[in-house]
Amino acid sequence: MNTKTINWYPLVIVVLVAALAAVFAALVLEKTKPQILTTHNNPASDSVSTQTYHWKMVTSWPKNTPGLGVGAENVARVINEMSGGRLQIHVYGANELVPAMGVFDAVSSGSVEMGHSGSYFWRGKVPAAQFFTSVPFGMNAQELYGWINHGGGLELWRELYAPFNLIPFPAGNTGVQMAGWFNREINSVKDLRGLKMRIPGLAGEVFNLAGGTAVNIPGGELYTALQTGVIDAAEWVGPENDLAFGFQQIAKYYYYPGWHEPGPSMELIINKTAFENLPKDLQAIVTYAARAMSQDMFDSYTANNSRALKELVEQQGVEIRKLPDEVLTRFYEISQEVYAQQAAKDPQFKKVYESYKAFMDDSADYQKISEQTYYQVREQQRQ
């Protein structure tokens, strides 16, 4: 029987062409399809998480207080904006959720995630923490932030707070403050005897040793305390806050300079466990938002204090007076004694103080020929 021979070559060629076309199409599709990010269960991983976090921030300031309270609100707002709403922070003023002086404990315990306050309020728990707000005759804002951010200060600060499950960040500065409001003249050291004054931190201890009586009262209670005679004098911040609080209505004399707080930094304290549970990008947002708002608060005070002082003097008739040199010299002498005594009995205080003082001494050499000399020259030319 005759059989017909089949030619397979055309069929093979067709199959090969079809296969090559399929491979080419697959490669094109792979190149053009959108890439999908894989998220992991670890919230602190480098991947992007879509989870939304809701935190509470408690503060030591009355709600929306100029400068301080507004600064806390600004930190929360910027974090919310930078995170695209993934980290939302509700801010509570003093006594809305916890007392003004209860911020440290509330954040440490984890009952809230974040607090905005001043580290010198916690002197009873961590005496060395006072250096991270301000100390008598210490560094101004520029010097303090130089030490904290680039001089080893932040590492020391976090070492102090680690046992309390807290991570601190600098978060605002008022610049050099005023010495305060007084209901009687201060002409000599003798005039300090028996004087009851609201003045916190190491400055309060110095004031006590100079013959006065230091009282630590939250800002929201100062007006009533001064008006009713519970205290005879009070320092709060500076012209912007003092004008807003109305101290010019109940105290006659407004003294300078702010020997007790030459550049106080506010602090943002965060519960360590809560912070470490955030994704890495949100941790970075919190870190840099605090730093940005630190500068923003300082800028705000620089602008608003000038305007407020002008109003206090020209429209409110406030008497601006400089503390006598005798009083300032005595405050300085006592402050140096206090530092030495504290350092001798507290190793943590000694460690922080030595770092702080070394940086300040180095900075002072440059400040003499830069900021200090410039101000003197500028003032001479203005006269």
Side-chain angles (χ1 to χ4, degrees), residues 76-94:
R77 174 182 56 80
V78 168
I79 289 173
N80 180 44
E81 291 176 357
M82 292 174 69
S83 69
R86 289 165 50 221
L87 178 53
Q88 300 177 17
I89 300 168
H90 186 89
V91 181
Y92 296 86

Side-chain angles (χ1 to χ4, degrees), residues 227-246:
Q227 183 184 42
T228 58
V230 172
I231 55 177
D232 306 304
E235 68 77 37
W236 178 224
V237 181
E240 180 186 14
N241 288 114
D242 294 345
L243 176 63
F245 274 41

Side-chain angles (χ1 to χ4, degrees), residues 176-178 181 236-243 254 301 305 312:
V176 181
Q177 296 194 354
M178 293 291 284
W181 296 86
W236 178 224
V237 181
E240 180 186 14
N241 288 114
D242 294 345
L243 176 63
Y254 197 25
Y301 271 112
N305 275 336
L312 285 169

